[in-house]
Amino acid sequence: MDDLETRELRYFVAVAEDLHFGRAADRLGIAQPPLSRAISRLERRLGVQLLDRDRRGVELTDAGRVMLREARAALDAVAAAARRTRRAGNPQPSLVLATKAGASHELLQRLLDAHANEAGAAPIDVLLCEVGEQAGLLRNGRADVAIMHRPFDDLAGFDTEDLYVEGQIALLPAGHPLAARDQLTMADVRDVPDLPIARWPRLDGSYPDGPGPEVHTQSQLAQLVALGKTLLVIPASSRAWQWPDHVAVPVVDAPDVTTVIAWSPSSHSPAIASLVRTAAGLRSTALPAPAG
Amino acid sequence: MDDLETRELRYFVAVAEDLHFGRAADRLGIAQPPLSRAISRLERRLGVQLLDRDRRGVELTDAGRVMLREARAALDAVAAAARRTRRAGNPQPSLVLATKAGASHELLQRLLDAHANEAGAAPIDVLLCEVGEQAGLLRNGRADVAIMHRPFDDLAGFDTEDLYVEGQIALLPAGHPLAARDQLTMADVRDVPDLPIARWPRLDGSYPDGPGPEVHTQSQLAQLVALGKTLLVIPASSRAWQWPDHVAVPVVDAPDVTTVIAWSPSSHSPAIASLVRTAAGLRSTALPAPAG
DNA sequence: ACGCCGTGATACTCGCCAGGTATCAGTCGC
DNA sequence: GCGACTGATACCTGGCGAGTATCACGGCGT
């Protein structure tokens, strides 16, 4: 059983994403014939057909879909190996912590302070990212550790330590009828005709149906909120979303949000262990009382 | 940033394991000079020294230790991609379920029965393995799903669903003084001079200190228990360990054991989802009442 | 001290295979 | 039917991976 080479996996992923040999070859910076040959050799070696070269187009077979998912994971792991090794070779290796810009700000501040006070603590580079990016960064080695939120973020495949549990609030323009209430339910908040909830892309990039605007960055969303065009239900601690002319109202039956620190089990190092221990230590100290 | 090839990772892992270029080259089936060159090229490309070629021996640097761990994970992921794709290409793809021989027998039986009754269920191959092997099998694609036990097994990096919680029992020869008690504590059980608890290897292969015999397979352990040479504290449901002349006594303060079904998030397929759903469904039906 | 063994590195040669160009073979549109 | 477009095939070339021979260096016998 001769292993696959990462080149073959890269080639297959390119073709599977484009479903077009010519364009995939372009992206890869090679000519089309070598790509065709590489894919058919891959299929021959696996003894499995990965693509249906149905006239007028290429399609993935079931096995091809399996291969696409597995190949992406494998390529991430290889890339992570290279990146983490490079960083480990630095004279003073640092930890990269990924976090959603604006979320869990206070907790992060306290974590960084506490960590800096530890003797011999590795320096920490904070990598601010968009919603849902952290998992990918951890997987491909661009980050060592991430602050994430259950149940929003995809925690599959990571080790995690719970840091904080809180309820959620609805963020409303000050003048809105619902803003006068001192608490809301999800039923109140759904189907508010003048303030539809924004729709985020799913993992596959498609958008759920609904009346709200489609957004895919936090700044887009911030803009819409500031304009009073959308309604937001977010963890109580996400103060970055606070505007002077908006009001936060607790949503009593919204699911609790748990802030966690997550890392890839294959990169578990003493430096990460120390940071996680510091983070877990913050749990016992005072934080603003969780809502909900 | 040109990626690493799996060949380079395999070579590095071989050298890092042997700490000897000649023997590693032998194992790899190549000559020593190409191996030396491959490693130094790898180091040059990463810009990081991985090995200290101190005369009279090769040693891993810190970065080398990082690389070793990451490279193993990456190679597992690549191997998993190949194996799972091959299996997905079969006309009637099956799921491979890994489980410790003898553990959770009744639950497994019920799971297989229930799954077989599902319409369109994939056939299941059961892969019986030794203690601690399941994680590796899931990681490198030899298995799709595993029955594992918290807190004994290494669940890092997997998705899991809890199936069953139970207490633990001590297994004693019928004539032993402790066998007359109707419950025990860990303090009772530790340091019983004539029945030291067997020692299992740690993840790195070394053994903890202690008076008990070293074991690394279940049959070794079974032999020792049958001879009355060692004492066992195991989940109550591990009936495979029951001998006619042995007695099970509950250990009231032993940590609860949770039986879980685990799978690799990168191989999450409809077939696995269906099996997991079936397994979770068993939770609500009658099982022997958990002890503790 | 000397030579010997064992180690990893270097020098060179060779052959395979990745990759390029040119071309073929279907399929669709008009 | 013709042209446009797609992926497959034929054939060639160059680079790199792998082999053999050898070097450089340290440890350790006697």
Side-chain angles (χ1 to χ4, degrees):
Chain A
M1 149 115 52
D2 43 357
D3 307 71
L4 311 181
E5 286 298 327
T6 64
R7 186 176 2 90
E8 313 184 76
L9 297 178
R10 274 202 316 276
Y11 286 6
F12 172 75
V13 169
V15 174
E17 282 174 352
D18 282 4
L19 296 176
H20 190 290
F21 280 74
R23 279 191 292 276
D26 259 7
R27 274 205 306 162
L28 293 166
I30 64 171
Q32 169 259 320
L35 181 56
S36 285
R37 261 180 300 136
I39 299 293
S40 40
R41 186 163 36 79
L42 178 61
E43 290 181 320
R44 199 165 352 103
R45 287 210 297 173
L46 290 171
V48 168
Q49 187 156 0
L50 301 173
L51 298 167
D52 271 333
R53 282 81 148 178
D54 204 49
R55 10 192 150 296
R56 103 164 115 289
V58 177
E59 269 181 41
L60 282 170
T61 63
D62 286 346
R65 270 181 285 275
V66 169
M67 177 53 123
L68 178 56
R69 191 172 36 223
E70 297 281 339
R72 280 177 170 147
L75 288 174
D76 275 346
V78 172
R83 271 193 267 267
R84 295 214 171 96
T85 303
R86 280 208 178 89
R87 284 223 314 281
N90 284 353
Q92 170 63 305
S94 66
L95 283 180
V96 178
L97 183 151
T99 185
K100 275 181 284 244
S104 299
H105 178 77
E106 182 170 359
L107 185 101
L108 178 60
Q109 190 71 63
R110 295 159 49 80
L111 173 57
L112 293 178
D113 287 349
H115 181 73
N117 286 335
E118 299 270 322
I124 295 201
D125 299 328
V126 175
L127 182 57
L128 297 176
C129 54
E130 284 293 334
V131 172
E133 279 186 347
Q134 293 115 306
L137 296 172
L138 282 185
R139 269 191 263 276
N140 69 21
R142 288 196 153 85
D144 298 303
V145 71
I147 302 295
M148 299 174 77
H149 298 87
R150 195 171 46 234
F152 298 147
D153 290 315
D154 169 28
L155 299 178
F158 302 125
D159 275 7
T160 61
E161 184 86 28
D162 287 4
L163 299 182
Y164 188 57
V165 181
E166 61 189 320
Q168 297 192 68
I169 55 166
L171 206 56
L172 298 156
H176 194 276
L178 289 180
R181 311 265 289 269
D182 50 336
Q183 65 179 44
L184 295 168
T185 66
M186 287 305 286
D188 294 329
V189 150
R190 244 189 289 275
D191 310 320
V192 180
D194 55 334
L195 280 181
I197 296 184
R199 290 171 296 138
W200 289 91
R202 302 196 192 90
L203 290 177
D204 61 4
S206 70
Y207 285 86
D209 286 336
E214 296 180 354
V215 297
H216 65 271
T217 69
Q218 295 195 94
S219 49
Q220 287 181 348
L221 186 56
Q223 179 84 11
L224 286 168
V225 173
L227 292 171
K229 292 287 189 197
T230 191
L231 182 154
L232 218 47
V233 176
I234 55 174
S237 71
S238 291
R239 294 298 175 205
W241 298 113
Q242 205 65 282
W243 282 264
D245 50 347
H246 279 68
V247 179
V249 182
V251 179
V252 290
D253 61 345
D256 276 352
V257 175
T258 306
T259 304
V260 306
I261 184 165
W263 64 98
S264 162
S266 64
S267 74
H268 193 58
S269 65
I272 291 178
S274 153
L275 178 62
V276 170
R277 216 175 315 116
T278 302
L282 293 183
R283 256 188 324 225
S284 50
T285 67
L287 259 188
Chain B
M1 150 116 52
D2 44 357
D3 309 70
L4 311 180
E5 287 298 325
T6 64
R7 188 176 358 90
E8 312 185 78
L9 297 178
R10 275 202 315 278
Y11 287 6
F12 172 75
V13 169
V15 174
E17 283 174 350
D18 282 0
L19 296 177
H20 190 291
F21 280 74
R23 279 191 293 275
D26 261 6
R27 272 205 307 161
L28 293 166
I30 64 171
Q32 169 259 320
L35 181 56
S36 285
R37 262 180 299 136
I39 299 294
S40 39
R41 187 162 32 81
L42 177 60
E43 290 180 320
R44 200 163 354 102
R45 285 211 294 169
L46 290 171
V48 168
Q49 186 156 2
L50 302 173
L51 299 166
D52 272 333
R53 281 84 146 176
D54 205 49
R55 294 265 177 234
R56 99 168 121 289
V58 178
E59 267 181 44
L60 282 170
T61 62
D62 287 344
R65 269 180 285 275
V66 170
M67 177 52 123
L68 179 56
R69 192 171 35 224
E70 297 282 339
R72 280 177 170 146
L75 289 174
D76 275 345
V78 172
R83 270 193 267 266
R84 295 215 171 96
T85 304
R86 279 207 179 90
R87 285 225 312 281
N90 284 353
Q92 170 62 306
S94 64
L95 283 180
V96 177
L97 184 151
T99 184
K100 275 180 283 243
S104 299
H105 178 77
E106 181 170 359
L107 185 102
L108 178 59
Q109 189 71 63
R110 294 160 50 80
L111 173 57
L112 294 178
D113 287 349
H115 182 73
N117 287 334
E118 300 270 321
I124 295 201
D125 299 327
V126 175
L127 183 57
L128 297 175
C129 55
E130 285 293 333
V131 172
E133 280 186 345
Q134 292 115 307
L137 296 173
L138 282 185
R139 268 190 263 275
N140 68 23
R142 289 195 151 86
D144 298 302
V145 71
I147 302 294
M148 299 173 78
H149 299 86
R150 198 170 47 232
F152 297 148
D153 290 315
D154 170 26
L155 300 178
F158 303 125
D159 275 7
T160 60
E161 184 86 27
D162 287 4
L163 299 183
Y164 187 57
V165 182
E166 61 188 322
Q168 297 191 69
I169 56 167
L171 206 56
L172 298 157
H176 194 275
L178 290 180
R181 311 264 291 271
D182 51 333
Q183 65 178 42
L184 294 167
T185 66
M186 288 305 286
D188 293 329
V189 149
R190 246 190 286 275
D191 309 321
V192 179
D194 55 334
L195 281 180
I197 296 184
R199 290 171 296 138
W200 289 92
R202 302 195 192 90
L203 290 177
D204 61 4
S206 69
Y207 285 87
D209 286 335
E214 295 180 352
V215 296
H216 66 272
T217 69
Q218 295 194 94
S219 49
Q220 285 181 349
L221 186 57
Q223 179 85 10
L224 288 167
V225 172
L227 292 171
K229 292 288 191 195
T230 192
L231 182 153
L232 220 46
V233 176
I234 55 174
S237 70
S238 292
R239 296 296 174 204
W241 297 113
Q242 204 66 282
W243 282 265
D245 52 346
H246 279 69
V247 179
V249 182
V251 180
V252 291
D253 62 343
D256 276 353
V257 176
T258 305
T259 304
V260 306
I261 184 165
W263 65 97
S264 163
S266 63
S267 75
H268 193 57
S269 65
I272 291 179
S274 152
L275 178 62
V276 170
R277 216 175 315 116
T278 302
L282 292 183
R283 257 189 323 227
S284 50
T285 67
L287 260 188

